[in-house]
């Protein structure tokens, strides 16, 4: 997205932020500044959901500011970006992140650019959904494989003690448990007690 967007739109700065549920803030996962890309999926800068970010987050709509200096925004003199766009990343009906782009010249983005930017963000959202679905499928397949492996080991045993030992040790490995306890109880169904 960083490279492709820069070929289609005037971009001097671009930031991709994903929601960090543990901190309830956005986390910067990728940036492009002056044609240099930096991707850091974990440990990136946390960004509070406030100001214009909160507006885009709550409205779920693209924000376009043709000239930041004339938009009443408080500007740090070191900030060179004049034109700015931000759009939400929507996945399964919820906002999962934001993408912002900026250009150093004012009035760099047209409504056509805004539509193209929105389409690029939609494609990013679809790619993220696909990656998450693939990871979930991989986790389920791994769990199923472990269950099948444990089941096979148990079926090879001839006595209850060995079955329980395998069950406790294998489940302990999978769950990372230091201790495991299995309790067995005899239970007589109520129907059998009446006879």
């Amino acid at each position: 997205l960083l490279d492709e967007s820069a070929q289609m739109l005037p971009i001097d700065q671009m930031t991709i932020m994903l929601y960090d549920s543990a901190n309830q803030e956005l986390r910067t996962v990728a940036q492009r500044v002056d044609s240099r890309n930096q991707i850091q999926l974990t440990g990136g800068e946390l960004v509070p959901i406030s100001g214009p970010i909160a507006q885009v987050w709550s409205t779920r709509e693209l924000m376009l500011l043709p000239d930041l200096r004339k938009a009443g925004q408080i500007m740090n003199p070191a900030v060179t970006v004049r034109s700015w766009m931000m759009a939400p990343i929507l996945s399964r009906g919820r906002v999962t992140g934001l993408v912002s782009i900026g250009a150093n010249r004012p009035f760099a983005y047209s409504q056509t650019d805004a539509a193209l930017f929105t389409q690029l963000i939609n494609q990013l959202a679809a790619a993220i959904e696909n990656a998450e679905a693939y990871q979930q499928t991989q986790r389920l397949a791994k769990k199923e494989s472990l269950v099948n492996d444990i089941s096979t080991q148990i079926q090879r045993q001839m006595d209850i003690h060995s079955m329980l030992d395998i069950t406790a040790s294998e489940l302990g490995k999978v769950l990372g448990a230091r201790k495991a306890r299995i309790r067995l109880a005899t239970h007589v169904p109520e129907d059998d007690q009446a006879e």
Side-chain angles (χ1 to χ4, degrees), residues 91-167:
S91 176
R92 296 183 183 106
R94 61 185 175 88
V95 181
T96 58
L98 298 173
V99 179
S100 71
I101 62 172
N104 292 342
R105 65 181 173 86
F107 302 96
Y109 302 119
S110 66
Q111 290 302 317
T112 303
D113 292 331
L116 176 60
F117 182 55
T118 300
Q119 185 60 36
L120 289 169
I121 304 308
N122 290 340
Q123 290 177 359
L124 172 64
I128 291 172
E129 282 182 18
N130 290 340
E132 288 174 348
Y134 177 76
Q135 287 176 342
Q136 185 176 11
T137 301
Q138 291 295 96
R139 285 191 297 270
L140 288 173
K142 185 177 179 181
K143 286 178 184 178
E144 251 184 65
S145 175
L146 288 169
V147 168
N148 289 338
D149 183 44
I150 293 170
S151 179
T152 301
Q153 288 184 49
I154 291 170
Q155 289 173 9
R156 290 183 188 150
Q157 303 309 311
M158 301 304 279
D159 64 281
I160 190 83
H161 184 329
S162 298
M163 291 178 194
L164 295 174
D165 187 44
I166 287 172
T167 301

Side-chain angles (χ1 to χ4, degrees), residues 163-179:
M163 291 178 194
L164 295 174
D165 187 44
I166 287 172
T167 301
S169 80
E170 292 301 317
L171 285 176
K173 285 180 199 174
V174 171
L175 299 173
R178 294 181 191 168
K179 284 181 156 185

Side-chain angles (χ1 to χ4, degrees), residues 36 94 186:
R36 288 188 315 268
R94 61 185 175 88
T186 42

